[in-house]
PDB file of all heavy atoms in Angstrom:
ATOM      1  N   ARG A   1     -22.098-141.942  85.769  1.00 81.00           N
ATOM      2  CA  ARG A   1     -22.525-142.797  84.584  1.00 81.00           C
ATOM      3  C   ARG A   1     -22.453-144.235  84.997  1.00 81.00           C
ATOM      4  O   ARG A   1     -23.293-144.949  84.692  1.00 81.00           O
ATOM      5  CB  ARG A   1     -21.564-142.538  83.452  1.00 81.00           C
ATOM      6  CG  ARG A   1     -22.120-143.056  82.161  1.00 81.00           C
ATOM      7  CD  ARG A   1     -21.154-142.713  80.973  1.00 81.00           C
ATOM      8  NE  ARG A   1     -20.719-141.303  80.991  1.00 81.00           N
ATOM      9  CZ  ARG A   1     -19.659-140.828  80.329  1.00 81.00           C
ATOM     10  NH1 ARG A   1     -18.935-141.687  79.611  1.00 81.00           N
ATOM     11  NH2 ARG A   1     -19.369-139.551  80.391  1.00 81.00           N
ATOM     12  N   THR A   2     -21.463-144.642  85.830  1.00 82.00           N
ATOM     13  CA  THR A   2     -21.365-146.023  86.294  1.00 82.00           C
ATOM     14  C   THR A   2     -22.522-146.372  87.210  1.00 82.00           C
ATOM     15  O   THR A   2     -23.054-147.470  87.109  1.00 82.00           O
ATOM     16  CB  THR A   2     -20.096-146.239  87.031  1.00 82.00           C
ATOM     17  OG1 THR A   2     -19.018-145.910  86.202  1.00 82.00           O
ATOM     18  CG2 THR A   2     -19.901-147.639  87.530  1.00 82.00           C
ATOM     19  N   LEU A   3     -22.884-145.432  88.082  1.00 83.00           N
ATOM     20  CA  LEU A   3     -24.142-145.721  88.957  1.00 83.00           C
ATOM     21  C   LEU A   3     -25.440-145.771  88.062  1.00 83.00           C
ATOM     22  O   LEU A   3     -26.292-146.504  88.454  1.00 83.00           O
ATOM     23  CB  LEU A   3     -24.310-144.531  89.993  1.00 83.00           C
ATOM     24  CG  LEU A   3     -23.192-144.610  91.109  1.00 83.00           C
ATOM     25  CD1 LEU A   3     -23.219-143.268  91.934  1.00 83.00           C
ATOM     26  CD2 LEU A   3     -23.309-145.816  91.999  1.00 83.00           C
ATOM     27  N   GLY A   4     -25.490-144.950  87.036  1.00 76.00           N
ATOM     28  CA  GLY A   4     -26.624-144.982  86.064  1.00 76.00           C
ATOM     29  C   GLY A   4     -26.760-146.389  85.406  1.00 76.00           C
ATOM     30  O   GLY A   4     -27.838-146.806  85.086  1.00 76.00           O
ATOM     31  N   GLN A   5     -25.585-147.051  85.255  1.00 76.00           N
ATOM     32  CA  GLN A   5     -25.679-148.395  84.662  1.00 76.00           C
ATOM     33  C   GLN A   5     -25.808-149.479  85.723  1.00 76.00           C
ATOM     34  O   GLN A   5     -25.768-150.699  85.390  1.00 76.00           O
ATOM     35  CB  GLN A   5     -24.187-148.600  83.934  1.00 76.00           C
ATOM     36  CG  GLN A   5     -24.071-147.579  82.735  1.00 76.00           C
ATOM     37  CD  GLN A   5     -22.589-147.636  82.220  1.00 76.00           C
ATOM     38  OE1 GLN A   5     -21.665-148.123  82.880  1.00 76.00           O
ATOM     39  NE2 GLN A   5     -22.490-146.991  81.050  1.00 76.00           N
ATOM     40  N   GLY A   6     -25.864-149.078  87.015  1.00 78.00           N
ATOM     41  CA  GLY A   6     -26.173-150.015  88.109  1.00 78.00           C
ATOM     42  C   GLY A   6     -24.954-150.822  88.695  1.00 78.00           C
ATOM     43  O   GLY A   6     -25.135-151.811  89.332  1.00 78.00           O
ATOM     44  N   ASP A   7     -23.715-150.318  88.462  1.00 81.00           N
ATOM     45  CA  ASP A   7     -22.509-150.983  89.042  1.00 81.00           C
ATOM     46  C   ASP A   7     -21.874-150.222  90.187  1.00 81.00           C
ATOM     47  O   ASP A   7     -20.995-149.229  90.034  1.00 81.00           O
ATOM     48  CB  ASP A   7     -21.486-151.116  87.865  1.00 81.00           C
ATOM     49  CG  ASP A   7     -20.447-151.995  88.263  1.00 81.00           C
ATOM     50  OD1 ASP A   7     -20.206-152.444  89.394  1.00 81.00           O
ATOM     51  OD2 ASP A   7     -19.652-152.473  87.312  1.00 81.00           O
ATOM     52  N   SER A   8     -22.523-150.323  91.287  1.00 86.00           N
ATOM     53  CA  SER A   8     -22.137-149.558  92.537  1.00 86.00           C
ATOM     54  C   SER A   8     -20.746-149.872  93.015  1.00 86.00           C
ATOM     55  O   SER A   8     -19.968-148.959  93.503  1.00 86.00           O
ATOM     56  CB  SER A   8     -23.179-149.811  93.702  1.00 86.00           C
ATOM     57  OG  SER A   8     -23.267-151.141  94.082  1.00 86.00           O
ATOM     58  N   GLN A   9     -20.290-151.258  92.955  1.00 88.00           N
ATOM     59  CA  GLN A   9     -18.980-151.589  93.472  1.00 88.00           C
ATOM     60  C   GLN A   9     -17.893-150.914  92.632  1.00 88.00           C
ATOM     61  O   GLN A   9     -16.919-150.396  93.107  1.00 88.00           O
ATOM     62  CB  GLN A   9     -18.806-153.110  93.461  1.00 88.00           C
ATOM     63  CG  GLN A   9     -19.496-153.758  94.753  1.00 88.00           C
ATOM     64  CD  GLN A   9     -18.907-155.135  94.867  1.00 88.00           C
ATOM     65  OE1 GLN A   9     -18.174-155.715  94.012  1.00 88.00           O
ATOM     66  NE2 GLN A   9     -19.285-155.729  96.051  1.00 88.00           N
ATOM     67  N   ARG A  10     -18.015-150.926  91.311  1.00 84.00           N
ATOM     68  CA  ARG A  10     -17.124-150.289  90.517  1.00 84.00           C
ATOM     69  C   ARG A  10     -17.038-148.700  90.732  1.00 84.00           C
ATOM     70  O   ARG A  10     -15.909-148.167  90.732  1.00 84.00           O
ATOM     71  CB  ARG A  10     -17.435-150.458  88.961  1.00 84.00           C
ATOM     72  CG  ARG A  10     -16.359-149.765  88.012  1.00 84.00           C
ATOM     73  CD  ARG A  10     -16.710-150.198  86.537  1.00 84.00           C
ATOM     74  NE  ARG A  10     -15.893-149.448  85.732  1.00 84.00           N
ATOM     75  CZ  ARG A  10     -14.550-149.704  85.403  1.00 84.00           C
ATOM     76  NH1 ARG A  10     -14.099-150.785  86.002  1.00 84.00           N
ATOM     77  NH2 ARG A  10     -13.902-149.016  84.613  1.00 84.00           N
ATOM     78  N   ALA A  11     -18.177-148.177  91.002  1.00 87.00           N
ATOM     79  CA  ALA A  11     -18.157-146.692  91.324  1.00 87.00           C
ATOM     80  C   ALA A  11     -17.313-146.408  92.587  1.00 87.00           C
ATOM     81  O   ALA A  11     -16.668-145.518  92.692  1.00 87.00           O
ATOM     82  CB  ALA A  11     -19.647-146.259  91.532  1.00 87.00           C
ATOM     83  N   GLN A  12     -17.531-147.246  93.562  1.00 90.00           N
ATOM     84  CA  GLN A  12     -16.762-147.141  94.805  1.00 90.00           C
ATOM     85  C   GLN A  12     -15.284-147.166  94.579  1.00 90.00           C
ATOM     86  O   GLN A  12     -14.505-146.410  95.212  1.00 90.00           O
ATOM     87  CB  GLN A  12     -17.157-148.143  95.873  1.00 90.00           C
ATOM     88  CG  GLN A  12     -18.591-148.072  96.325  1.00 90.00           C
ATOM     89  CD  GLN A  12     -19.054-149.386  96.949  1.00 90.00           C
ATOM     90  OE1 GLN A  12     -18.265-150.043  97.535  1.00 90.00           O
ATOM     91  NE2 GLN A  12     -20.453-149.530  97.096  1.00 90.00           N
ATOM     92  N   ARG A  13     -14.878-148.137  93.863  1.00 88.00           N
ATOM     93  CA  ARG A  13     -13.320-148.368  93.585  1.00 88.00           C
ATOM     94  C   ARG A  13     -12.845-147.241  92.700  1.00 88.00           C
ATOM     95  O   ARG A  13     -11.703-146.740  92.907  1.00 88.00           O
ATOM     96  CB  ARG A  13     -13.107-149.617  92.841  1.00 88.00           C
ATOM     97  CG  ARG A  13     -13.380-150.944  93.708  1.00 88.00           C
ATOM     98  CD  ARG A  13     -13.039-152.179  93.133  1.00 88.00           C
ATOM     99  NE  ARG A  13     -13.408-153.272  93.995  1.00 88.00           N
ATOM    100  CZ  ARG A  13     -14.300-154.263  93.782  1.00 88.00           C
ATOM    101  NH1 ARG A  13     -15.043-154.315  92.672  1.00 88.00           N
ATOM    102  NH2 ARG A  13     -14.411-155.273  94.586  1.00 88.00           N
ATOM    103  N   LEU A  14     -13.779-146.645  91.781  1.00 87.00           N
ATOM    104  CA  LEU A  14     -13.304-145.515  90.957  1.00 87.00           C
ATOM    105  C   LEU A  14     -12.991-144.234  91.972  1.00 87.00           C
ATOM    106  O   LEU A  14     -12.116-143.474  91.695  1.00 87.00           O
ATOM    107  CB  LEU A  14     -14.302-145.199  89.986  1.00 87.00           C
ATOM    108  CG  LEU A  14     -14.459-146.086  88.722  1.00 87.00           C
ATOM    109  CD1 LEU A  14     -15.676-145.809  87.899  1.00 87.00           C
ATOM    110  CD2 LEU A  14     -13.197-145.864  87.863  1.00 87.00           C
ATOM    111  N   GLY A  15     -13.888-144.188  92.965  1.00 89.00           N
ATOM    112  CA  GLY A  15     -13.651-143.139  94.047  1.00 89.00           C
ATOM    113  C   GLY A  15     -12.289-143.287  94.626  1.00 89.00           C
ATOM    114  O   GLY A  15     -11.536-142.287  94.844  1.00 89.00           O
ATOM    115  N   GLY A  16     -11.878-144.536  94.951  1.00 89.00           N
ATOM    116  CA  GLY A  16     -10.591-144.732  95.554  1.00 89.00           C
ATOM    117  C   GLY A  16      -9.512-144.425  94.658  1.00 89.00           C
ATOM    118  O   GLY A  16      -8.428-143.855  95.066  1.00 89.00           O
ATOM    119  N   LEU A  17      -9.629-144.707  93.397  1.00 88.00           N
ATOM    120  CA  LEU A  17      -8.636-144.449  92.331  1.00 88.00           C
ATOM    121  C   LEU A  17      -8.430-142.923  92.154  1.00 88.00           C
ATOM    122  O   LEU A  17      -7.315-142.435  92.190  1.00 88.00           O
ATOM    123  CB  LEU A  17      -9.104-144.969  91.008  1.00 88.00           C
ATOM    124  CG  LEU A  17      -8.015-144.902  89.808  1.00 88.00           C
ATOM    125  CD1 LEU A  17      -6.786-145.476  90.054  1.00 88.00           C
ATOM    126  CD2 LEU A  17      -8.657-145.375  88.548  1.00 88.00           C
ATOM    127  N   VAL A  18      -9.613-142.133  92.270  1.00 88.00           N
ATOM    128  CA  VAL A  18      -9.519-140.714  92.079  1.00 88.00           C
ATOM    129  C   VAL A  18      -8.725-140.098  93.302  1.00 88.00           C
ATOM    130  O   VAL A  18      -7.833-139.227  92.998  1.00 88.00           O
ATOM    131  CB  VAL A  18     -10.804-140.217  92.089  1.00 88.00           C
ATOM    132  CG1 VAL A  18     -10.801-138.685  92.275  1.00 88.00           C
ATOM    133  CG2 VAL A  18     -11.552-140.452  90.762  1.00 88.00           C
ATOM    134  N   ILE A  19      -8.959-140.631  94.547  1.00 91.00           N
ATOM    135  CA  ILE A  19      -8.250-140.034  95.601  1.00 91.00           C
ATOM    136  C   ILE A  19      -6.715-140.273  95.499  1.00 91.00           C
ATOM    137  O   ILE A  19      -5.907-139.416  95.741  1.00 91.00           O
ATOM    138  CB  ILE A  19      -8.691-140.641  96.977  1.00 91.00           C
ATOM    139  CG1 ILE A  19     -10.245-140.355  97.146  1.00 91.00           C
ATOM    140  CG2 ILE A  19      -7.924-140.145  98.129  1.00 91.00           C
ATOM    141  CD1 ILE A  19     -10.545-138.790  97.191  1.00 91.00           C
ATOM    142  N   ALA A  20      -6.331-141.480  95.163  1.00 89.00           N
ATOM    143  CA  ALA A  20      -4.834-141.876  94.923  1.00 89.00           C
ATOM    144  C   ALA A  20      -4.210-141.028  93.975  1.00 89.00           C
ATOM    145  O   ALA A  20      -3.133-140.491  94.131  1.00 89.00           O
ATOM    146  CB  ALA A  20      -4.813-143.293  94.735  1.00 89.00           C
ATOM    147  N   VAL A  21      -4.840-140.960  92.691  1.00 87.00           N
ATOM    148  CA  VAL A  21      -4.406-140.199  91.687  1.00 87.00           C
ATOM    149  C   VAL A  21      -4.238-138.714  92.005  1.00 87.00           C
ATOM    150  O   VAL A  21      -3.242-138.020  91.742  1.00 87.00           O
ATOM    151  CB  VAL A  21      -5.140-140.501  90.350  1.00 87.00           C
ATOM    152  CG1 VAL A  21      -4.725-139.540  89.236  1.00 87.00           C
ATOM    153  CG2 VAL A  21      -4.943-141.880  89.846  1.00 87.00           C
ATOM    154  N   GLY A  22      -5.370-138.208  92.476  1.00 88.00           N
ATOM    155  CA  GLY A  22      -5.446-136.820  92.769  1.00 88.00           C
ATOM    156  C   GLY A  22      -4.458-136.297  93.844  1.00 88.00           C
ATOM    157  O   GLY A  22      -3.819-135.165  93.644  1.00 88.00           O
ATOM    158  N   ALA A  23      -4.194-137.070  94.847  1.00 92.00           N
ATOM    159  CA  ALA A  23      -3.143-136.729  95.844  1.00 92.00           C
ATOM    160  C   ALA A  23      -1.850-136.550  95.205  1.00 92.00           C
ATOM    161  O   ALA A  23      -1.168-135.504  95.482  1.00 92.00           O
ATOM    162  CB  ALA A  23      -3.127-137.762  96.939  1.00 92.00           C
ATOM    163  N   GLY A  24      -1.478-137.490  94.421  1.00 91.00           N
ATOM    164  CA  GLY A  24      -0.067-137.421  93.844  1.00 91.00           C
ATOM    165  C   GLY A  24      -0.024-136.275  92.821  1.00 91.00           C
ATOM    166  O   GLY A  24       1.044-135.576  92.784  1.00 91.00           O
ATOM    167  N   LEU A  25      -0.977-136.030  91.998  1.00 88.00           N
ATOM    168  CA  LEU A  25      -0.980-134.983  91.019  1.00 88.00           C
ATOM    169  C   LEU A  25      -0.986-133.629  91.713  1.00 88.00           C
ATOM    170  O   LEU A  25      -0.160-132.682  91.271  1.00 88.00           O
ATOM    171  CB  LEU A  25      -2.158-135.052  90.017  1.00 88.00           C
ATOM    172  CG  LEU A  25      -2.176-136.072  88.985  1.00 88.00           C
ATOM    173  CD1 LEU A  25      -3.526-136.137  88.297  1.00 88.00           C
ATOM    174  CD2 LEU A  25      -1.004-135.894  88.027  1.00 88.00           C
ATOM    175  N   ALA A  26      -1.800-133.422  92.659  1.00 91.00           N
ATOM    176  CA  ALA A  26      -1.841-132.108  93.415  1.00 91.00           C
ATOM    177  C   ALA A  26      -0.468-131.801  94.074  1.00 91.00           C
ATOM    178  O   ALA A  26       0.065-130.661  93.958  1.00 91.00           O
ATOM    179  CB  ALA A  26      -2.832-132.152  94.548  1.00 91.00           C
ATOM    180  N   LEU A  27       0.152-132.830  94.696  1.00 94.00           N
ATOM    181  CA  LEU A  27       1.435-132.632  95.289  1.00 94.00           C
ATOM    182  C   LEU A  27       2.557-132.248  94.392  1.00 94.00           C
ATOM    183  O   LEU A  27       3.312-131.409  94.581  1.00 94.00           O
ATOM    184  CB  LEU A  27       1.782-133.890  96.158  1.00 94.00           C
ATOM    185  CG  LEU A  27       3.121-133.850  96.921  1.00 94.00           C
ATOM    186  CD1 LEU A  27       3.068-132.778  98.083  1.00 94.00           C
ATOM    187  CD2 LEU A  27       3.350-135.199  97.503  1.00 94.00           C
ATOM    188  N   THR A  28       2.527-132.972  93.272  1.00 94.00           N
ATOM    189  CA  THR A  28       3.509-132.715  92.154  1.00 94.00           C
ATOM    190  C   THR A  28       3.407-131.161  91.754  1.00 94.00           C
ATOM    191  O   THR A  28       4.345-130.592  91.504  1.00 94.00           O
ATOM    192  CB  THR A  28       3.330-133.703  91.036  1.00 94.00           C
ATOM    193  OG1 THR A  28       3.557-134.941  91.445  1.00 94.00           O
ATOM    194  CG2 THR A  28       4.335-133.426  89.907  1.00 94.00           C
ATOM    195  N   LEU A  29       2.128-130.878  91.504  1.00 91.00           N
ATOM    196  CA  LEU A  29       1.904-129.514  90.893  1.00 91.00           C
ATOM    197  C   LEU A  29       2.361-128.363  91.933  1.00 91.00           C
ATOM    198  O   LEU A  29       3.055-127.349  91.587  1.00 91.00           O
ATOM    199  CB  LEU A  29       0.547-129.245  90.589  1.00 91.00           C
ATOM    200  CG  LEU A  29       0.101-127.939  89.918  1.00 91.00           C
ATOM    201  CD1 LEU A  29       0.933-127.703  88.673  1.00 91.00           C
ATOM    202  CD2 LEU A  29      -1.336-127.906  89.536  1.00 91.00           C
ATOM    203  N   CYS A  30       2.011-128.587  93.192  1.00 93.00           N
ATOM    204  CA  CYS A  30       2.328-127.615  94.254  1.00 93.00           C
ATOM    205  C   CYS A  30       3.858-127.464  94.365  1.00 93.00           C
ATOM    206  O   CYS A  30       4.485-126.306  94.512  1.00 93.00           O
ATOM    207  CB  CYS A  30       1.639-127.990  95.502  1.00 93.00           C
ATOM    208  SG  CYS A  30      -0.139-127.717  95.584  1.00 93.00           S
ATOM    209  N   ILE A  31       4.532-128.628  94.401  1.00 95.00           N
ATOM    210  CA  ILE A  31       6.046-128.560  94.604  1.00 95.00           C
ATOM    211  C   ILE A  31       6.705-127.951  93.220  1.00 95.00           C
ATOM    212  O   ILE A  31       7.588-127.142  93.372  1.00 95.00           O
ATOM    213  CB  ILE A  31       6.637-130.081  94.695  1.00 95.00           C
ATOM    214  CG1 ILE A  31       6.169-130.571  96.013  1.00 95.00           C
ATOM    215  CG2 ILE A  31       8.105-130.087  94.573  1.00 95.00           C
ATOM    216  CD1 ILE A  31       6.494-132.109  96.277  1.00 95.00           C
ATOM    217  N   SER A  32       6.096-128.156  92.083  1.00 94.00           N
ATOM    218  CA  SER A  32       6.563-127.557  90.944  1.00 94.00           C
ATOM    219  C   SER A  32       6.466-126.013  90.892  1.00 94.00           C
ATOM    220  O   SER A  32       7.427-125.377  90.492  1.00 94.00           O
ATOM    221  CB  SER A  32       5.875-128.137  89.710  1.00 94.00           C
ATOM    222  OG  SER A  32       6.071-129.468  89.589  1.00 94.00           O
ATOM    223  N   VAL A  33       5.307-125.516  91.416  1.00 92.00           N
ATOM    224  CA  VAL A  33       5.140-124.080  91.471  1.00 92.00           C
ATOM    225  C   VAL A  33       6.074-123.454  92.395  1.00 92.00           C
ATOM    226  O   VAL A  33       6.622-122.381  92.172  1.00 92.00           O
ATOM    227  CB  VAL A  33       3.607-123.770  91.993  1.00 92.00           C
ATOM    228  CG1 VAL A  33       3.504-122.320  92.317  1.00 92.00           C
ATOM    229  CG2 VAL A  33       2.765-124.142  90.870  1.00 92.00           C
ATOM    230  N   TRP A  34       6.397-124.177  93.548  1.00 94.00           N
ATOM    231  CA  TRP A  34       7.356-123.576  94.531  1.00 94.00           C
ATOM    232  C   TRP A  34       8.847-123.518  93.995  1.00 94.00           C
ATOM    233  O   TRP A  34       9.508-122.638  93.966  1.00 94.00           O
ATOM    234  CB  TRP A  34       7.398-124.462  95.804  1.00 94.00           C
ATOM    235  CG  TRP A  34       8.463-124.024  96.814  1.00 94.00           C
ATOM    236  CD1 TRP A  34       9.607-124.689  97.090  1.00 94.00           C
ATOM    237  CD2 TRP A  34       8.389-122.888  97.620  1.00 94.00           C
ATOM    238  NE1 TRP A  34      10.285-123.944  98.065  1.00 94.00           N
ATOM    239  CE2 TRP A  34       9.591-122.868  98.319  1.00 94.00           C
ATOM    240  CE3 TRP A  34       7.508-121.826  97.781  1.00 94.00           C
ATOM    241  CZ2 TRP A  34       9.834-121.829  99.234  1.00 94.00           C
ATOM    242  CZ3 TRP A  34       7.719-120.851  98.726  1.00 94.00           C
ATOM    243  CH2 TRP A  34       8.904-120.869  99.476  1.00 94.00           C
ATOM    244  N   LEU A  35       9.134-124.618  93.232  1.00 95.00           N
ATOM    245  CA  LEU A  35      10.527-124.796  92.722  1.00 95.00           C
ATOM    246  C   LEU A  35      10.711-123.725  91.520  1.00 95.00           C
ATOM    247  O   LEU A  35      11.828-123.262  91.311  1.00 95.00           O
ATOM    248  CB  LEU A  35      10.846-126.117  92.232  1.00 95.00           C
ATOM    249  CG  LEU A  35      10.976-127.137  93.354  1.00 95.00           C
ATOM    250  CD1 LEU A  35      11.106-128.530  92.704  1.00 95.00           C
ATOM    251  CD2 LEU A  35      12.055-126.874  94.380  1.00 95.00           C
ATOM    252  N   LEU A  36       9.595-123.401  90.837  1.00 94.00           N
ATOM    253  CA  LEU A  36       9.663-122.520  89.662  1.00 94.00           C
ATOM    254  C   LEU A  36       9.223-121.183  89.917  1.00 94.00           C
ATOM    255  O   LEU A  36       8.924-120.356  89.054  1.00 94.00           O
ATOM    256  CB  LEU A  36       8.912-123.091  88.505  1.00 94.00           C
ATOM    257  CG  LEU A  36       9.312-124.408  87.963  1.00 94.00           C
ATOM    258  CD1 LEU A  36       8.308-124.995  87.013  1.00 94.00           C
ATOM    259  CD2 LEU A  36      10.714-124.345  87.330  1.00 94.00           C
ATOM    260  N   GLN A  37       9.124-120.690  91.150  1.00 91.00           N
ATOM    261  CA  GLN A  37       8.472-119.552  91.531  1.00 91.00           C
ATOM    262  C   GLN A  37       9.239-118.269  90.883  1.00 91.00           C
ATOM    263  O   GLN A  37       8.630-117.271  90.468  1.00 91.00           O
ATOM    264  CB  GLN A  37       8.455-119.264  93.074  1.00 91.00           C
ATOM    265  CG  GLN A  37       9.667-119.413  93.860  1.00 91.00           C
ATOM    266  CD  GLN A  37       9.534-119.203  95.292  1.00 91.00           C
ATOM    267  OE1 GLN A  37       9.200-118.176  95.846  1.00 91.00           O
ATOM    268  NE2 GLN A  37       9.724-120.319  96.073  1.00 91.00           N
ATOM    269  N   THR A  38      10.581-118.293  90.939  1.00 91.00           N
ATOM    270  CA  THR A  38      11.243-117.165  90.301  1.00 91.00           C
ATOM    271  C   THR A  38      10.991-116.917  88.820  1.00 91.00           C
ATOM    272  O   THR A  38      10.621-115.787  88.297  1.00 91.00           O
ATOM    273  CB  THR A  38      12.768-117.307  90.390  1.00 91.00           C
ATOM    274  OG1 THR A  38      13.188-117.530  91.760  1.00 91.00           O
ATOM    275  CG2 THR A  38      13.542-116.144  89.846  1.00 91.00           C
ATOM    276  N   LEU A  39      10.924-118.036  88.052  1.00 92.00           N
ATOM    277  CA  LEU A  39      10.589-117.977  86.699  1.00 92.00           C
ATOM    278  C   LEU A  39       9.044-117.416  86.568  1.00 92.00           C
ATOM    279  O   LEU A  39       8.756-116.610  85.645  1.00 92.00           O
ATOM    280  CB  LEU A  39      10.619-119.385  86.089  1.00 92.00           C
ATOM    281  CG  LEU A  39      10.229-119.472  84.574  1.00 92.00           C
ATOM    282  CD1 LEU A  39      11.092-118.656  83.679  1.00 92.00           C
ATOM    283  CD2 LEU A  39      10.377-120.942  84.196  1.00 92.00           C
ATOM    284  N   ILE A  40       8.180-117.968  87.356  1.00 89.00           N
ATOM    285  CA  ILE A  40       6.878-117.567  87.321  1.00 89.00           C
ATOM    286  C   ILE A  40       6.583-116.092  87.613  1.00 89.00           C
ATOM    287  O   ILE A  40       5.838-115.450  86.951  1.00 89.00           O
ATOM    288  CB  ILE A  40       6.001-118.455  88.375  1.00 89.00           C
ATOM    289  CG1 ILE A  40       5.888-119.900  87.956  1.00 89.00           C
ATOM    290  CG2 ILE A  40       4.526-117.840  88.544  1.00 89.00           C
ATOM    291  CD1 ILE A  40       5.302-120.872  88.972  1.00 89.00           C
ATOM    292  N   LEU A  41       7.240-115.626  88.618  1.00 89.00           N
ATOM    293  CA  LEU A  41       7.245-114.226  88.977  1.00 89.00           C
ATOM    294  C   LEU A  41       7.743-113.321  87.955  1.00 89.00           C
ATOM    295  O   LEU A  41       7.264-112.168  87.662  1.00 89.00           O
ATOM    296  CB  LEU A  41       7.817-113.918  90.318  1.00 89.00           C
ATOM    297  CG  LEU A  41       7.176-114.557  91.546  1.00 89.00           C
ATOM    298  CD1 LEU A  41       7.958-114.324  92.832  1.00 89.00           C
ATOM    299  CD2 LEU A  41       5.770-114.112  91.578  1.00 89.00           C
ATOM    300  N   ASP A  42       8.854-113.815  87.249  1.00 89.00           N
ATOM    301  CA  ASP A  42       9.371-113.001  86.098  1.00 89.00           C
ATOM    302  C   ASP A  42       8.358-112.985  84.974  1.00 89.00           C
ATOM    303  O   ASP A  42       8.172-112.001  84.345  1.00 89.00           O
ATOM    304  CB  ASP A  42      10.636-113.766  85.534  1.00 89.00           C
ATOM    305  CG  ASP A  42      11.842-113.549  86.510  1.00 89.00           C
ATOM    306  OD1 ASP A  42      11.817-112.576  87.217  1.00 89.00           O
ATOM    307  OD2 ASP A  42      12.802-114.364  86.341  1.00 89.00           O
ATOM    308  N   LEU A  43       7.714-114.159  84.683  1.00 83.00           N
ATOM    309  CA  LEU A  43       6.644-114.170  83.670  1.00 83.00           C
ATOM    310  C   LEU A  43       5.468-113.177  84.034  1.00 83.00           C
ATOM    311  O   LEU A  43       5.042-112.503  83.072  1.00 83.00           O
ATOM    312  CB  LEU A  43       6.067-115.494  83.414  1.00 83.00           C
ATOM    313  CG  LEU A  43       4.998-115.712  82.486  1.00 83.00           C
ATOM    314  CD1 LEU A  43       5.490-115.434  81.139  1.00 83.00           C
ATOM    315  CD2 LEU A  43       4.510-117.259  82.504  1.00 83.00           C
ATOM    316  N   LEU A  44       5.114-113.079  85.272  1.00 80.00           N
ATOM    317  CA  LEU A  44       4.035-112.283  85.711  1.00 80.00           C
ATOM    318  C   LEU A  44       4.339-110.782  85.770  1.00 80.00           C
ATOM    319  O   LEU A  44       3.423-109.924  85.839  1.00 80.00           O
ATOM    320  CB  LEU A  44       3.480-112.755  87.005  1.00 80.00           C
ATOM    321  CG  LEU A  44       2.748-114.123  87.054  1.00 80.00           C
ATOM    322  CD1 LEU A  44       2.394-114.489  88.463  1.00 80.00           C
ATOM    323  CD2 LEU A  44       1.494-114.155  86.222  1.00 80.00           C
ATOM    324  N   GLY A  45       5.710-110.562  85.713  1.00 82.00           N
ATOM    325  CA  GLY A  45       6.055-109.106  85.762  1.00 82.00           C
ATOM    326  C   GLY A  45       6.010-108.564  87.168  1.00 82.00           C
ATOM    327  O   GLY A  45       5.802-107.405  87.448  1.00 82.00           O
ATOM    328  N   ALA A  46       6.299-109.411  88.221  1.00 82.00           N
ATOM    329  CA  ALA A  46       6.191-108.944  89.562  1.00 82.00           C
ATOM    330  C   ALA A  46       7.359-108.123  89.865  1.00 82.00           C
ATOM    331  O   ALA A  46       8.560-108.400  89.514  1.00 82.00           O
ATOM    332  CB  ALA A  46       6.184-110.153  90.552  1.00 82.00           C
TER     333      ALA A  46
END
């Protein structure tokens, strides 16, 4: 949408923001799954 409006520099910086935010969120979620694995497996009925 930003490119459709003609603002290429803002689009580039938005790309950088996505990488920074995404790396942190993905790491947090993966660590949480590992720490909660016993509870998760109980819920799944393993």
Side-chain angles (χ1 to χ4, degrees):
R1 198 179 309 167
T2 303
L3 289 170
Q5 295 167 348
D7 193 346
S8 60
Q9 280 198 349
R10 179 175 174 78
Q12 295 165 20
R13 292 183 178 118
L14 285 170
L17 180 63
V18 165
I19 298 302
V21 170
L25 285 177
L27 182 61
T28 300
L29 183 56
C30 289
I31 292 174
S32 298
V33 170
W34 176 255
L35 294 177
L36 297 173
Q37 60 182 288
T38 300
L39 179 62
I40 292 168
L41 294 176
D42 287 341
L43 177 63
L44 291 174

